[in-house]
Amino acid sequence: MAQMSLATDSPSSVHSSSSDDFAAFLDGTLDGNSSSDREEEIENDAESARVKRHKVESIKEIEASTSKGPVQKNLVVAEESLKVDICTHPGSFGNMCICCGQKLDGESGVTFGYIHKGLRLHDQEISRLRNTDMKDLLCHKKLYLVLDLDHTLLNSTLLMDLNSEEVHLNTQTDSLKDVSKGSLFKLEYMHMMTKLRPFVRTFLKEASKMFEMYIYTMGDRPYALEMAKLLDPGGEYFTSKVISRDDGTQKHQKGLDVLLGQESAVLILDDTENAWMKHKDNLILMERYHFFASSCRQFGFNCKSLAESKSDESEADGALAKILKVLKRVHHTFFDEHQEDLVDRDVRQVLKTIRSEVLSGCVLVFSRIVHSALPALQKMAEQLGAICLTELDPSVTHVVATDVGTEKSRWAVKEHKFLVHPRWIEATNYFWQKQPEEDFFVKKKE
């Protein structure tokens, strides 16, 4: 039997780039023999391990009853030699060690069911695989990118939720036989319609040159796999890297503990910050994609959806196109602008530095902003590099308000300073680029 010794195999044979190679390795090992052959050989391996343990226990008994001398020294050497051969149980399928086949008591480590059904890896093995993968990825000038699905790469709705202004979509859906040439799909078997975000195919193609990519969704596994087929029909990007809510270790939360990648090399693209409470420093917050009316209603927007207005985001200047530029800048900064050891680099620090340059040189004062919204806006502006003051002075460049009639707003007009709506900060935060102030001027209330 080909031993699944994850603890000893070389990086190239087990996990040369990511969980895809690891999954292929496991499949090859498991499928190499018939089921009955595997069971017989696992039993033989388990018996061998038991014999080795028995020998060690016997040596310990003899050692305890032998005085110090040449005999004891020889026994110690023999014991150490046998210890090398004893399995460390790096992981398991069900309750059986993936290396020696021994049945294990209890559960420890983390489940990686999305890589291979029933696979559980122990902490030491996870650490080893992450270190191996990290070194290999850095050699190929790649990092990790975790991508959310809903409202980030696409938008889905139940067919029953389509309203009268959206029924025209039923005649505009693309063929499921060749999804690579379409963006709107009717999935009858799931009672659902899905719209891919404009530019998503180009985005994935370009991002794959810089990143090892994962899908991570709060949707269930069947949904996640169907969406992955629409986005990646050729299986080029996500083969064994589709993570659903069924694979997470915390309810209502996403975590990097189920990734075989170092946190210091992971970027996350998601529209929901609260889903990543432990990993906010890795997150690039995405502007939500609301194609269907049900999506607008879900988030409390009282406006027409893109489908209702028969429009869509721009391919060339939409959210994904802008974020791709950010990803390219992060990648360039991480690999090309520093000469120190890449293993010691941290993409979270790169992200923080780039973010802090967006509004550098801007001095902001807020005027009559809703009290509950003010702290978040101030924090956002400061992370983007702006200085926030509480009182007016000549250094102020922008007054942020929703009403032109406040004292600070009138001062801004008089002193020829920018008077902008809070959405100016939010838009700048989404696109990682200072937005034109004239697009966010505060208007008089009618």
Side-chain angles (χ1 to χ4, degrees), residues 302-322:
N302 185 24
C303 60
K304 279 196 172 187
S305 68
L306 292 169
E308 289 173 311
S309 59
K310 297 183 180 180
S311 62
D312 208 345
E313 282 187 359
S314 165
E315 278 270 350
D317 200 35
L320 286 176
K322 290 181 177 179

Side-chain angles (χ1 to χ4, degrees), residues 18-48:
S18 72
S19 52
D20 283 345
D21 293 329
F22 189 33
F25 167 75
L26 291 173
D27 283 332
T29 306
L30 291 174
D31 296 337
N33 301 306
S34 68
S35 178
S36 58
D37 290 341
R38 287 202 304 272
E39 290 177 4
E40 181 180 350
E41 292 180 6
I42 286 175
E43 288 178 3
N44 291 337
D45 289 341
E47 179 60 27
S48 175

